[in-house]
Amino acid sequence: MGGKQSRGFPNKELNEVSVSQRRKSAGRDEQPSLSSAAERIRRHTTVHFGYSTLNLAMQALDETPSELWELRELQKLNLSMNCLCSLPPALGTLDNLVILNLWGNNLSSLPPEISLLKKLRVLFACRNRLSEVPEELGSCTCLEVLSLANNQITGLPGSLAAMHNLTKLNLSHNHIAHIPTCVYSMKGLVFLHLACNRLETIADQIQDLVNLKILIVEGNSIHTLPKTLCFLESLELLNVDFNDLQNVPMELYLLSRLGRLACHPLDKGLHIIHNPLLKPIQEVLQGGLSALYNYLKPT
């Protein structure tokens, strides 16, 4: 979640809180009050880089302690690598959250009340079982980083077009057949990851993402690249490997910041050689990116 990881929450104390919840629901008088149970959780919050932080990662939680939602001062909450299948509407009470990490659970949905997290800047919801994203997430207009990778998502709601502050969007390893229309309205995007989906085309509107520096669409079924892609002059990494490309647009030479052909997944440059490219493009690429650009430039 950025910075040094906060101290984990002892399972023993989580179990004690859980037991106190059950006793309260049974109407017993001897158990701690709700506020004292919340205070027990509060003792494990820390301050990292000025943020009030609570780390509940890897606690084998199948539900969240109800007392957690009393900690309205929380700014960073890590619930990653648990066994959560759902989140309660009470999530919306943590309206000071800036970072929410839900990575590696069994969530099939996000509650509509997520719309109340107006200060949220980072949301990790990757490696869950999400098949859709709630319309209400579009109200989180302060979001800068959104990761929904490794889910079962087929699209995004149009409301996400309002996310003008979003700079990084990871939608890789989902079931997306078309880049969601709302993505083309996210003019602040610098990083867009769509690898391992079901894409066959990229719409001409890709040219609207004028700040894009990294575009990863490897492992799809894309058979052609639009020439408008070549107008993204800020691109430093373009990964179109493992698609069905046989040719490239003549305007590709305009992407001068790519610099070179790249092989390692994290290298800047153009990743393209793992495609069924036809001659003469395939042969020209043996001379590197500069050879390709010289071939494509008009004489």
Side-chain angles (χ1 to χ4, degrees):
M1 287 180 48
K4 186 172 68 175
Q5 193 175 38
S6 57
R7 181 160 51 102
F9 196 105
N11 279 305
K12 180 181 177 182
E13 291 206 35
L14 272 178
N15 290 337
E16 289 175 358
V17 171
S18 180
V19 167
S20 73
Q21 284 183 249
R22 290 195 294 270
R23 287 177 175 174
K24 186 177 191 301
S25 64
R28 299 184 181 180
D29 295 330
E30 68 272 20
Q31 94 294 341
S33 67
L34 190 68
S35 58
S36 65
E39 190 59 39
R40 195 177 305 173
I41 297 178
R42 181 177 279 113
R43 288 203 301 268
H44 293 274
T45 62
T46 56
V47 177
H48 285 148
F49 303 109
Y51 292 107
S52 174
T53 302
L54 179 62
N55 181 11
L56 293 177
M58 295 187 292
Q59 299 295 325
L61 295 173
D62 54 14
E63 62 180 11
T64 52
S66 61
E67 294 85 0
L68 170 62
W69 314 116
E70 291 187 39
L71 308 183
R72 293 191 58 181
E73 74 276 12
L74 275 183
Q75 295 171 293
K76 296 172 67 173
L77 175 60
N78 188 349
L79 289 168
S80 66
M81 292 178 284
N82 281 293
C83 307
L84 301 173
C85 294
S86 64
L87 292 173
L91 172 66
T93 64
L94 300 185
D95 52 7
N96 284 303
L97 276 184
V98 175
I99 299 176
L100 176 59
N101 190 346
L102 304 173
W103 183 88
N105 281 281
N106 297 313
L107 298 172
S108 58
S109 64
L110 298 174
E113 289 77 11
I114 199 168
S115 65
L116 301 175
L117 307 183
K118 302 296 186 184
K119 298 178 182 179
L120 196 65
R121 296 210 305 263
V122 178
L123 174 60
F124 297 119
C126 38
R127 293 192 181 277
N128 279 281
R129 298 180 179 178
L130 301 174
S131 58
E132 60 182 10
V133 177
E135 190 88 21
E136 291 81 2
L137 185 61
S139 296
C140 299
T141 54
C142 288
L143 267 179
E144 298 173 7
V145 177
L146 175 59
S147 179
L148 297 167
N150 294 90
N151 280 286
Q152 301 160 23
I153 295 168
T154 58
L156 295 178
S159 62
L160 270 60
M163 291 185 175
H164 300 305
N165 292 307
L166 201 65
T167 59
K168 296 181 181 179
L169 176 61
N170 190 343
L171 296 171
S172 63
H173 296 86
N174 277 287
H175 300 162
I176 298 171
H178 304 281
I179 298 178
T181 302
C182 63
V183 171
Y184 299 120
S185 296
M186 299 172 181
K187 300 299 194 329
L189 279 183
V190 173
F191 173 96
L192 178 57
H193 199 340
L194 283 156
C196 301
N197 276 282
R198 300 174 180 178
L199 301 176
E200 295 185 6
T201 60
I202 298 175
D204 287 341
Q205 294 100 302
I206 193 71
Q207 67 180 327
D208 294 339
L209 302 181
V210 294
N211 293 301
L212 206 58
K213 291 185 177 180
I214 298 175
L215 175 59
I216 304 172
V217 291
E218 69 172 324
N220 282 281
S221 300
I222 298 169
H223 50 79
T224 184
L225 298 176
K227 72 175 184 179
T228 55
L229 175 64
C230 306
F231 302 150
L232 299 179
E233 297 180 357
S234 295
L235 271 184
E236 298 175 357
L237 190 160
L238 174 59
N239 190 337
V240 294
D241 265 338
F242 303 105
N243 278 281
D244 297 327
L245 296 174
Q246 296 185 346
N247 213 327
V248 298
M250 295 295 293
E251 297 81 3
L252 192 66
Y253 71 90
L254 295 172
L255 299 178
S256 58
R257 294 195 181 186
L258 292 181
R260 61 173 178 166
L261 289 181
C263 296
H264 190 279
L266 298 179
D267 284 346
K268 290 183 179 181
L270 176 63
H271 301 248
I272 196 172
I273 59 174
H274 297 290
N275 278 284
L277 294 164
L278 300 175
K279 297 178 181 179
I281 298 297
Q282 184 185 62
E283 295 174 340
V284 171
L285 277 171
Q286 294 177 11
L289 188 62
S290 59
L292 176 63
Y293 282 8
N294 287 333
Y295 174 79
L296 294 175
K297 285 179 183 178
T299 55

